[in-house]
Amino acid sequence: MRVAALSGGVGGARFLRGLLGALRARDVAAEVTVVANTGDDITLHGLRVCPDLDTLMYTLGGGVDEAQGWGRDGDTGHVAAELAAYGAGPDWFTLGDRDVATHLVRTRMLGAGYTLSEVTRALCERWRPGVRLLPMSDQPVETHVVVRDPERRAVHLQEWWVRGHAETPAEGFPLLGLDRAVPAPGVLDALRGADVVLLPPSNPVVSLGPVLALPGVRDALRGTAAPVVGVAPVVGGRTVRGMAAACLAALDVPCTAAGVGGLLRDVLDAWLVDDADLGATRAALTPADHPDRADVAVHGTDLLMRDREGAVRLAGTALDVALGLHGATAGA
Amino acid sequence: MRVAALSGGVGGARFLRGLLGALRARDVAAEVTVVANTGDDITLHGLRVCPDLDTLMYTLGGGVDEAQGWGRDGDTGHVAAELAAYGAGPDWFTLGDRDVATHLVRTRMLGAGYTLSEVTRALCERWRPGVRLLPMSDQPVETHVVVRDPERRAVHLQEWWVRGHAETPAEGFPLLGLDRAVPAPGVLDALRGADVVLLPPSNPVVSLGPVLALPGVRDALRGTAAPVVGVAPVVGGRTVRGMAAACLAALDVPCTAAGVGGLLRDVLDAWLVDDADLGATRAALTPADHPDRADVAVHGTDLLMRDREGAVRLAGTALDVALGLHGATAGA
């Protein structure tokens, strides 16, 4: 079975680790391709940092800081402390020592002319994440945030989020570099040729948004023969993790499973939400005048990944929905 | 008093720390300019590493690993271990975590267009080494070593020394980039305008050699009104530290105070050697036909810097020689 997934960082990585567990538990031979958001990428201290790629690589490769959800396990901060002693900014983004090595290898390879796809493949030779990990694009795309504080200006997403904790109201999320970016080699083919496409619980605006904004991606998702199943990143009107609420507010979209589902409805065949949100989401995603023609099948489950087993269960449910085996709460 | 010194790494740095101690002990207000060899510089993992500048900065700034003589005190090797786990070479040159931060700041600044002089000044704002630390040149000059193993080829000095422990016989030391290099701003003026010029005990071939090879440096030393006093890096026919013996062998120069003194005699007014070497050195540096016209005054002392006090004592003796206060063993 060929599975393709789009993913952001922590939530997506944990879900995908659950997916690999679910596939193993079912003894299903699967080739999983993960298309990672690179809109979070940033150059710090001259190092090219790709937070979502790294979180996926470390999580699936067994090297992540479990408590934190990102960064390397057992990492130390000697380089960062020294950079601070030099007064070398920014001081709001701290790189762990082990993590620095990843960025050194990446930066050196990019400088030597390798593409981000090639670099990612090289890094994965060490991590063996059990999936084919692709950056969404080999061209740099960096998500910025338009804020008014008080002048209207755009700051890098990482600055808004890591430094400012997404507290400054956002007015938009321009993707710098998007006009020169195309999907990385293999991305569209993976979506078109998949047996199942999954959208793990990732921020719909700044994690899935940049991937979906690349030319051809939405069309590939709409055109693929595979069922496209998304997993909501919000439960009961609250973000499970991260800054989705602040991002959705900028778009005037309610931070609900229905709101996020609405953003993705053109590409989704099914939308997996928390049981508590099932009724409202199904109602919202079903045209009032054509109750029999809901274009998204809404399914309910327990959406929280409380531990690794919880992620296996949730990913298994998403697979069941895709394979038509999760009929109990099917909405369409 | 204006003191200027040329210097390589460990030996020079320890001597110069002693010099600052000697000046303090004598309550002499002095402005010390140190011109550091940059021929050892190398780019590793994309980072610009300047071993002699860093050894001087860390030693004079109170951050050096005392036992080792170079690198940061209390440094750790997490970045290096991770680079090795990625298989990212070279594996024969290990960068400590704290040291990596220095190279990150330097590399980023060089990439932004700052000169090595400007970068060094910025790094020294943190370290406050108590001297004006200048790179010998803002243009990269990298010392290579011609070896036959078995094909004749040139390898970077660091590879020959750190990886191969200088065991492969050297046939020469070409300075790559020398044809495009000039002394950094302030270098020639410091030598010309000094009251005293000191050549600390540094490798005459690969530490002092690159500095002396820059256009104008030898002329400035020959032309300066200041006494130029060198301190021999060999005692009793053996290198005090490092690889001088292997370097001198390539030049067919005996590894003796006389041999090294001969290499530098055109720029030296006085040459400070170990008491044990005094007679032989004086004899070798005095023209047989003009015993009254020795062009280098040879002085003897206990040359070993066994500890920090020993370095203060040795540097004090060198100062005394320069100031004409060390007459007991004066040879001319």
Side-chain angles (χ1 to χ4, degrees):
Chain A
M1 184 163 65
R2 287 159 302 173
V3 181
L6 313 185
S7 180
V10 182
R14 287 178 170 167
F15 176 88
L16 291 164
R17 187 167 60 181
L19 175 67
L20 294 182
L23 290 165
R24 265 195 309 273
R26 293 163 189 220
D27 212 12
V28 174
E31 182 185 292
V32 180
T33 300
V34 176
V35 179
N37 169 47
T38 57
D40 290 14
D41 294 7
I42 189 167
T43 300
L44 293 166
H45 306 289
L47 298 173
R48 190 64 179 161
V49 180
C50 302
D52 288 354
L53 277 172
D54 289 345
T55 296
L56 286 159
M57 199 165 67
Y58 296 159
T59 302
L60 300 177
V64 79
D65 180 320
E66 284 292 340
Q68 198 170 240
W70 51 270
R72 287 298 316 283
D73 51 335
D75 215 344
T76 46
H78 301 298
V79 174
E82 284 296 299
L83 288 171
Y86 278 116
D91 60 0
W92 45 264
F93 197 108
T94 301
L95 299 172
D97 295 330
R98 296 183 179 185
D99 201 31
V100 162
T102 300
H103 311 318
L104 279 170
V105 174
R106 175 185 292 123
T107 304
R108 187 185 181 192
M109 288 188 71
L110 289 172
Y114 291 95
T115 65
L116 185 57
S117 294
E118 292 166 327
V119 172
T120 304
R121 198 154 57 234
L123 294 171
C124 284
E125 277 175 27
R126 172 183 175 200
W127 289 107
R128 304 191 177 281
V131 304
R132 187 165 65 118
L133 181 59
L134 304 179
M136 68 180 200
S137 176
D138 280 338
Q139 290 78 44
V141 175
E142 295 195 0
T143 307
H144 279 58
V145 186
V146 177
V147 293
R148 216 182 276 274
D149 65 340
E151 293 304 307
R152 195 158 182 271
R153 65 190 184 99
V155 299
H156 195 287
L157 175 70
Q158 297 288 358
E159 185 168 354
W160 180 69
W161 168 231
V162 178
R163 181 187 210 173
H165 310 293
E167 281 165 7
T168 316
E171 301 189 355
F173 299 91
L175 302 172
L176 273 65
L178 183 67
D179 54 330
R180 294 181 302 279
V182 294
V187 167
L188 296 181
D189 286 346
L191 300 177
R192 292 189 194 116
D195 299 305
V196 170
V197 175
L198 298 176
L199 273 53
S202 292
N203 186 312
V205 182
V206 297
S207 294
L208 299 183
V211 190
L212 293 170
L214 288 166
V217 170
R218 280 195 116 102
D219 282 345
L221 288 169
R222 287 191 207 107
T224 183
V228 179
V229 178
V231 181
V234 291
V235 173
R238 299 183 63 159
T239 313
V240 176
R241 182 188 176 91
M243 53 180 157
C247 296
L248 290 165
L251 275 63
D252 268 334
V253 171
C255 183
T256 60
V260 177
L263 282 178
L264 303 171
R265 71 190 298 168
D266 64 312
V267 301
L268 290 176
D269 293 304
W271 187 227
L272 187 56
V273 304
D274 195 73
D275 285 321
D277 297 320
L278 181 59
T281 309
R282 188 177 288 163
L285 295 183
T286 303
D289 49 341
H290 293 290
D292 53 333
R293 280 173 41 199
D295 44 12
V296 179
V298 183
H299 296 250
T301 189
D302 174 5
L303 209 69
L304 287 182
M305 298 184 283
R306 290 177 187 81
D307 50 28
R308 292 175 68 143
E309 282 315 301
V312 173
R313 185 195 46 71
L314 180 62
T317 303
L319 265 183
D320 286 345
V321 168
L323 301 174
L325 302 172
H326 188 268
T329 62
Chain B
M1 183 164 63
R2 286 160 302 172
V3 181
L6 313 185
S7 181
V10 182
R14 287 179 171 167
F15 175 88
L16 291 165
R17 188 168 59 182
L19 175 67
L20 295 182
L23 290 166
R24 265 195 307 274
R26 293 161 189 221
D27 212 13
V28 175
E31 181 186 293
V32 180
T33 300
V34 177
V35 180
N37 170 47
T38 57
D40 291 13
D41 294 6
I42 189 168
T43 300
L44 293 166
H45 307 289
L47 298 172
R48 191 64 179 162
V49 180
C50 301
D52 288 353
L53 277 172
D54 289 345
T55 295
L56 286 159
M57 198 166 67
Y58 296 160
T59 302
L60 300 177
V64 78
D65 180 321
E66 284 291 341
Q68 199 171 241
W70 49 270
R72 288 297 317 283
D73 52 335
D75 214 344
T76 46
H78 301 298
V79 174
E82 284 295 299
L83 289 170
Y86 277 117
D91 59 0
W92 46 265
F93 198 109
T94 300
L95 300 172
D97 295 329
R98 295 182 180 187
D99 201 29
V100 162
T102 300
H103 310 318
L104 279 171
V105 173
R106 174 185 293 123
T107 305
R108 188 185 182 191
M109 287 188 71
L110 289 172
Y114 291 95
T115 65
L116 185 57
S117 294
E118 292 166 326
V119 172
T120 303
R121 198 154 57 235
L123 294 171
C124 285
E125 278 175 26
R126 172 182 176 201
W127 289 106
R128 304 190 177 282
V131 303
R132 187 165 65 120
L133 181 59
L134 304 179
M136 68 181 200
S137 176
D138 281 336
Q139 290 78 44
V141 174
E142 295 196 1
T143 307
H144 279 58
V145 186
V146 177
V147 293
R148 216 180 276 274
D149 64 343
E151 294 302 308
R152 195 159 182 271
R153 66 191 184 97
V155 299
H156 194 288
L157 175 70
Q158 298 288 358
E159 184 169 352
W160 180 69
W161 168 232
V162 179
R163 182 187 208 172
H165 310 293
E167 282 164 7
T168 315
E171 301 189 356
F173 299 91
L175 302 172
L176 273 64
L178 182 67
D179 53 330
R180 293 181 302 279
V182 294
V187 167
L188 296 182
D189 286 345
L191 299 178
R192 291 189 195 116
D195 299 304
V196 170
V197 176
L198 298 176
L199 273 52
S202 291
N203 186 311
V205 183
V206 297
S207 293
L208 299 183
V211 190
L212 294 170
L214 288 167
V217 170
R218 279 196 118 102
D219 282 344
L221 288 170
R222 286 191 207 107
T224 183
V228 178
V229 179
V231 181
V234 292
V235 173
R238 300 182 64 157
T239 313
V240 176
R241 182 187 174 92
M243 52 181 158
C247 296
L248 290 165
L251 275 64
D252 268 335
V253 171
C255 182
T256 60
V260 177
L263 282 178
L264 303 172
R265 71 190 300 168
D266 65 311
V267 301
L268 289 177
D269 293 305
W271 186 226
L272 187 57
V273 305
D274 195 74
D275 284 322
D277 297 321
L278 181 59
T281 309
R282 189 176 288 164
L285 295 183
T286 304
D289 50 340
H290 293 290
D292 55 332
R293 280 172 40 200
D295 43 12
V296 179
V298 183
H299 296 250
T301 189
D302 173 5
L303 209 68
L304 287 182
M305 298 184 282
R306 289 177 187 81
D307 50 27
R308 293 175 68 143
E309 281 316 300
V312 173
R313 185 195 45 72
L314 180 61
T317 304
L319 267 182
D320 285 344
V321 168
L323 303 174
L325 303 173
H326 188 268
T329 62

